Amino acid sequence: MDISAPNRELRYLTGRKLAVFLAAADRIIPAFDSLPSGGTMTTAQVVDWALERMEPGLRKRFLALLTVMEIMGVAFGARPFSKNSAKARDRQLAWMESGPSLMRMGFFGLKNYACLGYYTREAVWKAIGYAGPARPDRQYPDTVIRALCRAEAEVAP
Amino acid sequence: MTRTMELDAVIIGSGAGGGTVAERLAPLAEAGARIAVLEEGHHFPLAYFTQREVEMMGLFRYGGGWPIKDGSITLAAGRGLGGSTLVYTGVTFRLPDAVCEKWGVPGLTPKDLAPRFERLEKDLSVIVPGDDMVNDNNRLFAEACETLGWEVKKIPLNLSGCEQEGFCNLGCATGAKQGAMAVQLPRAQKAGVVLVPNCRVEKIGRGKVSAKVSEPPPGTVPGPWEPGEVEISAKRIVCAAGSPATPGLLLAAGLEKELPALGRYFTLHPAMTLYGVMPHPIKNYQGFPKTYYTPRFSQTHHFYLETAFYYPFVSTKHLGLWGEDLARIMTRYANFMTVIALNHDPASEKNRIRLSRKGEVIMDYTIAKESVESLAHAQVAATRLFIAAGCREMVMPMAKKPVFTPADAGDKSLEEFISPKRFLPIKTPLSSAHPQGGCRMGAGPEDSVTDPWGKVHGREDLYVADASLFPQSSAVNPYLTVMALADRVGQKLVESADSWG
């Protein structure tokens, strides 16, 4: 399956935030059978597109969460979240899922965005047995998201 | 520069309520009255509906995940010309007589509502779906209910020429769904009512509406008004923006002091979508998604169990899983059997709409203990149903083990295995598509916001015509009740037109 990254410049998931997001998505949706994990640039590209359309206040909080997660990583694996082992990241994510309500909200948002970036892609649909739209060729005004979900755009260097 | 205009009536919102009032006022428009329907969302043509989740997020407020204050429930609320009728499945239930009587609104009786329901059902082409519309998920649901001895019924639907593509919740690509955009709004427009998409109402005052019109996004139909700010003088204002937006508008107008019930008694019809995994693909994404329900638990446990279908991404929200559990179970997506449990939540004064310091609408709602218990029982019932249908695995967020086989739960009672004690707000996935209340109808201003005809107490110019009128939960899917109440509002407006001034 094609998990290459279409060539759209990321606007929100950049630098450390991108690393945190990818490290989290990798554990929220781990590789299974023939399916790759969620921690790929293709997932990040779709999420970044969605973040651009997110209500600004919510987007700000989401991006702040990634920074907080990175710092808190030391409490779960002695290193920042993005550099921790898979087990340590799982411990931190499990704590967030059942922890204080702000952390639960953060985890909920993070999980939803990872899943949005993953389960809206045609290659994933095929692998999970979803046939997709009854009218697959119907055009959408924003061609970028269609290309991202079809993984048709150019491969980033 | 702010433009000014004078109108006879302004309807804020274009969904089940606003659309119905607009149609009711059509004779006045034909006679020359200047009437406009203001809609914050866009005018989506049928060609816009691509049946893809990520592309259709713009049909919903907050992309379909509008959170309540504590984040424990997210709302899917339509945002476009047609309101939530753009994205509903068309489930057409009459308000049960018992609920109507329990509401206790003077003059609002089953006898008053019956002819309205009858007329609306005819207008909306409501049908009882034939067996040719029953896909495998629905067939298995009906058969399992029969095996368990549960009453099972067909769901009435408002459809005309449905091609059963199964994407109702992402906008009907063929126009078969007979919502406000297909029925009431075109009739109103033909009579001269002006439909204004991309028009966000910022504030209402006495006979005044402040609004802002924005540019139409690509692919949508431009409205008749140029972008910019508009100050409207109107003899009558009808708020039909839905709950919680309508209570929010009234709160922003400063009416809370005179109307202490304003914003209160907000209910959400909290829902859980529940999944079983069949041993073979049933492809619930093919065919019409919703044709059966069981009323078996409505009286005893306060929930309805209906068939359901959701696309992959939304399904991941409902499953409440992550890690290997999620990745593995999603590879069985084509095998999913899906139901939704809708709880009739109690109306509490404490559950309310309020405004933030910035003026944003906040849904301050705490789920009641009895609702959590009801939804736990719904998971027990769904498990029994899935096992009876032949499912090999179930996903129940309040179970001791969220993904389990019939054998996992076999050594103890299901009521112990699935327990309300395991409910944890936010972690336990809850959703809502039926927010109600906040401007409840009633006899007087001490405990209600409007009179039984939707007129705001103490105001001649201001009406409400949407689900925020409900004094308590409707128990059933609410759109037909919204239309019937809006029909009453429209009737009252027409009858009083000579006194508009």
Side-chain angles (χ1 to χ4, degrees):
Chain A
M1 105 185 252
D2 183 3
I3 55 162
S4 58
N7 194 11
R8 173 186 171 272
E9 191 180 336
L10 294 169
R11 287 168 201 165
Y12 300 100
L13 292 176
T14 55
R16 276 290 183 88
K17 289 184 176 65
L18 175 62
V20 175
F21 177 78
L22 292 176
D26 179 62
R27 301 313 302 156
I28 290 168
I29 312 159
F32 188 84
D33 278 354
S34 63
L35 280 161
S37 91
T40 67
M41 284 301 291
T42 316
T43 306
Q45 290 277 12
V46 175
V47 172
D48 196 76
W49 179 92
L51 284 172
E52 194 172 352
R53 284 144 188 87
M54 193 179 199
E55 194 273 317
L58 286 178
R59 181 172 61 223
K60 197 175 165 186
R61 272 181 270 167
F62 178 79
L63 295 172
L65 171 81
L66 298 178
T67 304
V68 171
M69 281 177 67
E70 181 75 331
I71 295 164
M72 287 177 67
V74 293
F76 294 89
R79 290 189 295 176
F81 178 82
S82 64
K83 295 190 179 355
N84 270 337
S85 67
K87 276 189 177 176
R89 281 178 279 150
D90 282 353
R91 276 198 301 274
Q92 184 171 342
L93 291 168
W95 174 79
M96 288 173 67
E97 186 193 24
S98 302
S101 63
L102 269 178
M103 279 296 134
R104 296 204 300 274
M105 272 195 237
F107 178 81
F108 179 76
L110 180 64
K111 191 194 97 173
N112 283 344
Y113 269 89
C115 289
L116 176 75
Y118 190 80
Y119 286 107
T120 56
R121 297 187 342 232
E122 293 194 8
V124 174
W125 291 350
K126 198 174 173 188
I128 65 173
Y130 173 53
R135 295 165 188 259
D137 297 324
R138 191 170 267 205
Q139 298 299 305
Y140 185 64
D142 184 336
T143 54
V144 172
I145 189 62
R146 180 70 60 87
L148 290 170
C149 291
R150 280 190 166 159
E152 279 174 346
E154 290 175 43
V155 177
Chain B
M1 187 180 154
T2 303
R3 283 172 292 148
T4 59
M5 63 177 73
E6 288 188 11
L7 296 174
D8 293 297
V10 167
I11 301 163
I12 303 167
S14 64
T20 304
V21 173
E23 187 193 9
R24 258 295 197 164
L25 299 190
L28 301 182
E30 277 170 349
R34 296 154 303 171
I35 300 168
V37 177
L38 312 185
E39 169 56 53
E40 179 185 5
H42 314 306
H43 181 175
F44 299 104
L46 293 184
Y48 190 91
F49 303 131
T50 63
Q51 306 178 328
R52 292 165 188 263
E53 283 178 281
V54 69
E55 293 174 357
M56 295 298 103
M57 283 167 64
L59 304 186
F60 299 88
R61 288 173 187 269
Y62 288 88
W66 190 1
I68 68 168
K69 186 189 166 210
D70 71 5
S72 63
I73 300 176
T74 54
L75 261 71
R79 184 176 176 270
L81 213 51
S84 284
T85 71
L86 264 186
V87 290
Y88 68 179
T89 319
V91 172
T92 309
F93 286 132
R94 295 184 177 197
L95 182 73
D97 288 355
V99 175
C100 182
E101 278 153 14
K102 193 177 158 196
W103 281 6
V105 177
L108 183 73
T109 60
K111 196 178 166 190
D112 173 87
L113 290 175
R116 299 180 200 275
F117 286 142
E118 202 170 314
R119 183 163 43 78
L120 284 162
E121 285 164 355
K122 194 176 167 196
D123 282 357
L124 300 165
S125 308
V126 174
I127 56 158
V128 174
D131 290 344
D132 60 327
M133 287 188 71
V134 176
N135 74 0
D136 273 356
N137 186 58
N138 282 274
R139 179 182 56 76
L140 288 164
F141 179 94
E143 289 171 1
C145 284
E146 281 160 10
T147 301
L148 293 163
W150 299 350
E151 183 182 11
V152 61
K153 290 181 169 181
K154 288 261 181 82
I155 295 174
L157 302 161
N158 59 339
L159 299 169
S160 179
C162 177
E163 293 179 31
Q164 300 184 46
E165 291 182 349
F167 293 87
C168 319
N169 301 141
L170 299 180
C172 179
T174 63
K177 186 163 60 181
Q178 300 298 290
M181 248 330 259
V183 179
Q184 291 101 330
L185 291 171
R187 290 178 186 174
Q189 191 173 30
K190 196 175 171 191
V193 174
V194 179
L195 308 183
V196 190
N198 317 310
C199 181
R200 178 181 167 81
V201 171
E202 308 280 357
K203 203 170 179 187
I204 57 171
R206 274 193 189 272
K208 300 276 182 198
V209 175
S210 306
K212 190 175 180 183
V213 181
S214 55
E215 291 279 356
T220 65
V221 181
W225 292 1
E226 291 296 314
E229 292 181 355
V230 193
E231 288 290 333
I232 303 162
S233 298
K235 293 170 186 166
R236 292 292 180 270
I237 300 167
V238 181
C239 291
S243 184
T246 284
L249 278 172
L250 268 59
L251 286 164
L255 297 177
E256 192 176 8
K257 202 172 174 187
E258 300 146 51
L259 302 166
L262 179 57
R264 296 181 184 274
Y265 304 98
F266 178 59
T267 62
L268 275 170
H269 234 183
M272 290 190 88
T273 304
L274 304 166
Y275 296 84
V277 184
M278 289 294 288
H280 54 271
I282 61 167
K283 298 184 179 177
N284 192 18
Y285 51 82
Q286 290 177 347
F288 196 84
K290 239 173 155 58
T291 50
Y292 279 107
Y293 76 107
T294 174
R296 167 74 174 77
F297 304 98
S298 179
Q299 294 297 317
T300 55
H301 294 85
H302 312 295
F303 67 87
Y304 279 105
L305 214 50
E306 300 174 357
T307 50
F309 159 67
Y310 291 101
Y311 321 98
F313 161 56
V314 174
S315 296
T316 65
K317 277 194 194 182
H318 298 148
L319 285 164
L321 303 172
W322 64 280
E324 192 178 326
D325 276 346
L326 175 68
R328 186 186 67 79
I329 210 82
M330 282 301 287
T331 63
R332 305 288 179 269
Y333 179 78
N335 299 27
F336 282 179
M337 197 180 159
T338 312
V339 301
I340 187 167
L342 292 161
N343 165 244
H344 327 325
D345 51 338
S348 161
E349 189 186 10
K350 288 178 185 167
N351 286 335
R352 55 186 289 216
I353 311 303
R354 56 187 184 84
L355 298 179
S356 71
R357 274 180 291 181
K358 288 182 184 170
E360 296 155 333
V361 167
I362 294 172
M363 294 172 273
D364 198 346
Y365 176 97
T366 304
I367 191 163
K369 187 169 170 272
E370 54 262 53
S371 290
V372 175
E373 288 167 355
S374 165
L375 290 168
H377 195 85
Q379 290 168 78
V380 170
T383 299
R384 292 199 170 109
L385 182 122
F386 288 145
I387 292 172
C391 289
R392 298 270 173 88
E393 281 184 297
M394 276 66 64
V395 183
M396 299 292 153
M398 290 190 216
K400 190 175 180 183
K401 190 177 167 194
V403 184
F404 60 95
T405 64
D408 289 330
D411 59 343
K412 54 174 72 177
S413 81
L414 272 177
E415 282 81 359
E416 271 179 63
F417 189 75
I418 298 170
S419 165
K421 288 176 188 162
R422 293 192 191 87
F423 172 76
L424 181 62
I426 305 165
K427 182 181 177 185
T428 307
L430 295 178
S431 62
S432 167
H434 304 152
Q436 304 166 18
C439 295
R440 57 181 2 210
M441 299 174 285
E446 60 284 351
D447 60 359
S448 62
V449 175
T450 80
D451 73 8
W453 295 89
K455 188 174 80 62
V456 174
H457 293 304
R459 293 281 294 263
E460 292 305 315
D461 62 323
L462 190 56
Y463 285 75
V464 172
D466 57 34
S468 57
L469 288 171
F470 294 10
Q472 297 173 46
S473 171
S474 60
V476 295
N477 304 48
Y479 97 82
L480 193 70
T481 306
V482 172
M483 286 187 178
L485 297 182
D487 187 66
R488 284 166 55 90
V489 174
Q491 177 192 332
K492 191 53 72 178
L493 281 163
V494 170
E495 286 171 2
S496 64
D498 290 342
S499 64
W500 286 12

